[in-house]
Structure formats: structure tokens, C-alpha cells
């Protein structure tokens, strides 16, 4: 009996989260701008995603949002060590944002001031949560790796995984072999 009740509660929770996930995007409502979300880290494919998203944001009068996710490391036994690791993650996020700000300027996007978002958790989960929470996000832009082993874990998980057919917004995957000039010509 308890298992049946627990199963029903789980199903209710899934339906509720599904309904929450499908709430209407506010992208074109007055006072809103469509955001192009780019997940940034130290991988080279992020620059491709940045170039495409910045160009689309500029051409469509949208906005650029950069997300850096601090992923959990080893479980720490002492709270002080965990706090130090968290602070290092936030410091690294700031450095990555500065780097991508310089890259935007180098590409000719001086007028774009991206929204900088830092989350803690697993990347795929935090991306999904952010898109659920921010109704202005209209497109997730990911860069595919040039590596012959595959396009990268985020592209594989989000664009090619079980979520791909039910994802909340379109996912644009920018091929990693394209030059910045080629990407800007396509965007």
C-alpha cells in the first residue's frame, strides 16, 4: 500500500514539474528580450558558441547570457575545505567571464554586455533549471567539439540525449571546425 502511494506521489510530482516546465516563454512580451544562453568553461568549443550567440543576439535585438556551472568535486569532510573549494569555483567563474568579455570585444561585439550567471551543481541539471526559471531564455547555444570521439558531453547529453525531444527551448549546436568568420557569416 505504501509503495502504491509513493508511486502516485512520484507521478504527481513528475506531472507538476512537467507543467511547470511548459509555461509560456516571455521572450516577445513587452519589456522582455530573447536571451541566447551560452554555457562557458575552459573548452575551446565555447568560443564558437559565444560567437554565434553574440551575433544572433545583436542581429535580433536580443540579449546574451553566459552560464558558468561550478560542479561538485569530492565530498569534503570538513566544512572549511568545502567553503574554500566553493570560493575557488566562484573566482574561476569571474576569470572565465573576464576572458569571454575580452573575446567578445576581439570579435567586434563591444556593445554587448552579457548577463553573467553562476550556478553550483551538475551542468545539465543547472542548465535545465535556469531555463525553467528564466522565461526570457529562448535559445541554448552549445559548441560542438572537433574531437573525433564525439561532440562533447553537453551536446551529447542535451541535444542528443533523452531530453532532446522535450527540451524547453531550441538548442543550436555550432560545429567546432568552423572559424569565427564562418560562424559570424552564418549567424
Amino acid at each position: 500500500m505504501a509503495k502504491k502511494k509513493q508511486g502516485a506521489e512520484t507521478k504527481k510530482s513528475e506531472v507538476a514539474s512537467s507543467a511547470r516546465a511548459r509555461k509560456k516563454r516571455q521572450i516577445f512580451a513587452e519589456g522582455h528580450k530573447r536571451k541566447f544562453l551560452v554555457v562557458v568553461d575552459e573548452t575551446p568549443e565555447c568560443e564558437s558558441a559565444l560567437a554565434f550567440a553574440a551575433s544572433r543576439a545583436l542581429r535580433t535585438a536580443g540579449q546574451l547570457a553566459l552560464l558558468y556551472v561550478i560542479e561538485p568535486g569530492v565530498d569534503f569532510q570538513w566544512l572549511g575545505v568545502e567553503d574554500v573549494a566553493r570560493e575557488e569555483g566562484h573566482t574561476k567563474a569571474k576569470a572565465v567571464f573576464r576572458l569571454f568579455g575580452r573575446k567578445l570585444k576581439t570579435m567586434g561585439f563591444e556593445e554587448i554586455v552579457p548577463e553573467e550567471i553562476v550556478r553550483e551543481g551538475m551542468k545539465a541539471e543547472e542548465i535545465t533549471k535556469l531555463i525553467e526559471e528564466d522565461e526570457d531564455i529562448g535559445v541554448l547555444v552549445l559548441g560542438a567539439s572537433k574531437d573525433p570521439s564525439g561532440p562533447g558531453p553537453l551536446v551529447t547529453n542535451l541535444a542528443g540525449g533523452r531530453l532532446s525531444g522535450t527540451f524547453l527551448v531550441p538548442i543550436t549546436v555550432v560545429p567546432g571546425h568552423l572559424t569565427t568568420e564562418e560562424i559570424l557569416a552564418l549567424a
Side-chain angles (χ1 to χ4, degrees), residues 80-183:
V81 175
E82 185 177 349
D83 289 342
V84 168
R86 180 176 286 118
E87 183 60 35
E88 286 175 0
H90 283 275
T91 301
K92 192 174 189 177
K94 289 176 188 174
V96 169
F97 288 142
R98 279 192 307 273
L99 172 67
F100 279 92
R102 287 192 301 269
K103 288 180 187 262
L104 280 171
K105 285 180 181 31
T106 301
M107 290 180 218
F109 296 109
E110 297 88 5
E111 62 277 3
I112 292 181
V113 179
E115 178 181 354
E116 299 173 349
I117 305 160
V118 179
R119 293 285 186 107
E120 295 179 22
M122 300 306 294
K123 271 187 186 172
E125 291 173 13
E126 292 305 317
I127 293 166
T128 304
K129 283 182 196 174
L130 176 61
I131 292 170
E132 286 175 358
E133 294 166 9
D134 189 340
E135 296 171 344
D136 289 344
I137 295 174
V139 179
L140 172 62
V141 182
L142 301 173
S145 173
K146 292 189 264 186
D147 192 314
S149 65
L154 269 183
V155 173
T156 302
N157 190 12
L158 296 175
R162 63 178 177 76
L163 295 176
S164 63
T166 60
F167 209 71
L168 297 171
V169 297
I171 301 172
T172 299
V173 179
V174 183
H177 72 281
L178 297 176
T179 65
T180 301
E181 292 78 27
E182 291 172 321
I183 292 167

Side-chain angles (χ1 to χ4, degrees), residues 37-50:
L37 178 63
V38 178
V39 182
V40 294
D41 54 27
E42 296 80 27
T43 58
E45 54 265 22
C46 286
E47 193 167 336
S48 299
L50 179 73

